Amino acid sequence: MHSMEALVCVDPGQLRLERRPAPLPRPGEVLVRPRRVGICGTDYHIFEGKHPYLQYPRVMGHEFAVELVEAPSGANLSADRFYTVNPYVACGRCIACRRGKPNCCVAISVFGVHADGGMAGLLAVPAENLLPVDGLTLDQAAMVEFLAIGAHAVRRGAASPEDRVLVVGAGPIGLGVALFARLSGAAV
């Protein structure tokens, strides 16, 4: 069996580089190699021991860009492309999932929080959670997750040129909200 390195937060305030067995993808999953990983406020909370939904040890990282290592035959994925990963894995069966709201899944799992994340040499992820990032650099692809949250907030708020938008907080998500609100024509 192959092995890989992973940066593990073993306890609050304690990181350790460990050699671990490479993951074996289950049906519907693909094997990816993280190439860029963003460090988010969530990761700081995990490191500080202030994240309420976490069990240690944990491999952090939910904002990441990957290259495909191995995919099942028939998967519509290409090894010569880079991808970003939607880090939210929904069950697909609960009432929220059945109503098309997987973000409200009662059993949601987030890479880097509930399951080991992108700060590892290899990771098995659901094939449906890979999004091609053609035209983006790897650095840019690692920023898709938090920018998507900002874009979603502006879309849900239906910001338009007639609106004034107040963004409270200038972290990555706040900056994404400000960027997309400005692109909608709103005064920020």
Side-chain angles (χ1 to χ4, degrees), residues 153-165 177 180-186:
V154 170
R155 186 174 52 248
R156 284 197 64 189
S160 70
E162 295 82 36
D163 295 318
R164 296 179 73 194
V165 174
V177 170
F180 288 105
R182 174 82 50 167
L183 289 171
S184 77

Side-chain angles (χ1 to χ4, degrees), residues 98-123:
R98 289 193 316 265
R99 289 188 175 169
K101 297 180 184 255
N103 59 310
C104 299
C105 174
V106 300
I108 194 120
S109 178
V110 181
F111 285 112
V113 178
H114 307 104
D116 285 341
M119 293 186 188
L122 296 167
L123 193 64

